[in-house]
Amino acid sequence: MTISIGLLILVVAGALVFEYINGFHDAANAIATVVSTKVLTPRQAVIYGATLEFTGALLGTHVAKTIGAGIINPDTITLHVIFCALLAAIIWNLITWYFGLPSSSSHALIGGLIGAAVVNAGWGCVRFMELLDKVIEPMFLAPAIGFGVGFIVMAILLRIFYKANPDKLNRRFRRAQIFSAGLMALSHGSNDAQKTMGIITLALLAGGVIQAESGGNFEIPVYVILSCATVMSLGVMSGGWKIIKTMGSKIIKLKPINGFAAESSAASIILLASHFGVPLSTTHVISTAIMGVGTTYKAHAVKWGVIGNIVCAWVLTIPICMFIASMIYTLYRNFIL
């Protein structure tokens, strides 16, 4: 029992470390555009973003339940599996942060969970229909939708304001972008913070601290929600400046009207996904919304070489994290268990 309690504490601590890294790794999703357009200073942006990230994390638990019981059969998940999955996701997040690549923390966590669980219990533990419906399909659809919605919103704004004085227009949208950046932070918190809530709840179930209801359903404890919301917001406050630079200036050169279009488009998509419990990659959505906004001017306004590197990171995240987690779990089982 002592080992189980110690391992449970270690897993929960690891999950909170992942949540913190997720916060500074994905801070760019919420504040990159508002910083790059100089609407807010970096310090103002991270405080503003962190506050709304915390608020967003309290909006619901649909995504947490998908992560906790939707993709892997909970009966096959042990504390050892969760710990190895978290290590894999943390490693990949740190690698992509180092290279300034806006990869998906959500997919890193899901890939790690699948990799460790399969080594532990075989492929039968994976709920493939749920994986296809809640992860694989959105992985391809979300970027396409983000690009399309960003393009349409920007095209509409250009049509409405095509006669406006550029300086006056930018001043107007500097104010509007404060609202859209806040909405983006709120939506990011509503989706990304919940993923770690699901993982911690899985750990509490595996450790016998809480019990599942009939049918395998469970509720996310309030203390888990509050702790994840707090740690995520602290991570955002620390910033993730390498990825913020990539998102804010290396894809296209953003103006306030562009930032408003990208943020409002992405936030709407993410909030809708959170409502239906879809663990969407917020990184994919905001990145492609920025791309869509850029192509309303001309195709070569978007730096496609940078985008190619980003897309490679997107595609590789789940399989690489599956591989890392499976290797960690194999070593862990052979030398520690």
Side-chain angles (χ1 to χ4, degrees):
M1 180 60 106
T2 303
I3 296 175
S4 296
I5 292 174
L7 181 59
L8 177 60
I9 292 171
L10 187 63
V11 169
V12 172
L16 293 176
V17 169
F18 170 79
E19 187 78 315
Y20 180 83
I21 294 172
N22 186 13
F24 78 73
H25 184 279
D26 287 4
N29 296 349
I31 65 174
T33 55
V34 81
V35 171
S36 65
T37 56
K38 297 182 172 61
V39 170
L40 294 176
T41 66
R43 182 179 179 80
Q44 289 171 335
V46 295
I47 293 173
Y48 179 54
T51 301
L52 286 164
E53 290 270 354
F54 180 88
T55 306
L58 304 179
L59 293 181
T61 57
H62 295 85
V63 175
K65 291 179 181 179
T66 297
I67 293 291
I71 296 167
I72 304 294
N73 184 347
D75 294 335
T76 65
I77 294 179
T78 65
L79 290 173
H80 307 289
V81 166
I82 298 170
F83 183 65
C84 293
L86 286 167
L87 283 180
I90 288 170
I91 290 168
W92 181 244
N93 269 1
L94 290 175
I95 291 171
T96 52
W97 166 78
Y98 179 80
F99 288 103
L101 292 173
S103 66
S104 171
S105 297
S106 313
H107 290 169
L109 185 58
I110 291 167
L113 198 58
I114 294 171
V118 166
V119 174
N120 178 57
W123 286 101
C125 69
V126 182
R127 294 174 172 173
F128 286 100
M129 292 307 297
E130 290 289 334
L131 179 65
L132 179 66
D133 184 45
K134 294 293 180 78
V135 179
I136 304 301
E137 287 183 3
M139 184 171 70
F140 291 99
L141 287 175
I145 294 170
F147 184 94
V149 174
F151 182 91
I152 291 168
V153 170
M154 190 66 227
I156 292 171
L157 290 175
L158 289 175
R159 180 63 180 168
I160 293 171
F161 297 107
Y162 76 100
K163 289 185 178 180
N165 178 283
D167 292 334
K168 290 183 178 179
L169 188 64
N170 276 328
R171 283 198 297 271
R172 184 179 300 177
F173 275 96
R174 283 174 68 86
R175 291 191 292 269
Q177 203 188 350
I178 294 174
F179 167 77
S180 63
L183 189 64
M184 185 64 213
L186 188 78
S187 67
H188 180 261
S190 75
N191 202 280
D192 268 38
Q194 289 191 43
K195 292 149 191 170
T196 308
M197 294 179 200
I199 288 295
I200 292 177
T201 304
L202 265 181
L204 295 176
L205 286 166
V209 176
I210 62 175
Q211 301 296 322
E213 300 171 358
S214 58
N217 297 321
F218 58 84
E219 292 298 321
I220 310 296
V222 174
Y223 57 86
V224 172
I225 297 171
L226 291 174
S227 60
C228 287
T230 301
V231 173
M232 167 74 87
S233 61
L234 289 173
V236 172
M237 286 187 71
S238 70
W241 303 112
K242 289 185 176 183
I243 298 176
I244 287 172
K245 185 177 180 181
T246 299
M247 297 275 282
S249 62
K250 289 189 177 181
I251 297 176
I252 64 167
K253 185 173 177 58
L254 291 169
K255 296 178 181 177
I257 189 171
N258 309 137
F260 173 82
E263 288 164 345
S264 56
S265 301
S268 301
I269 296 166
I270 295 164
L271 286 170
L272 188 65
S274 298
H275 176 73
F276 288 105
V278 177
L280 204 63
S281 169
T282 54
T283 305
H284 292 187
V285 177
I286 185 61
S287 299
T288 52
I290 292 172
M291 296 174 203
V293 165
T295 53
T296 57
Y297 295 98
K298 44 194 173 184
H300 65 263
V302 179
K303 298 172 184 176
W304 297 105
V306 175
I307 290 170
N309 293 334
I310 293 172
V311 171
C312 284
W314 292 355
V315 173
L316 293 173
T317 293
I318 289 179
I320 284 181
C321 288
M322 286 176 62
F323 175 77
I324 294 172
S326 65
M327 291 298 99
I328 292 173
Y329 189 83
T330 300
L331 293 171
Y332 185 79
R333 182 175 59 186
N334 290 340
F335 295 103
I336 297 178
L337 291 182

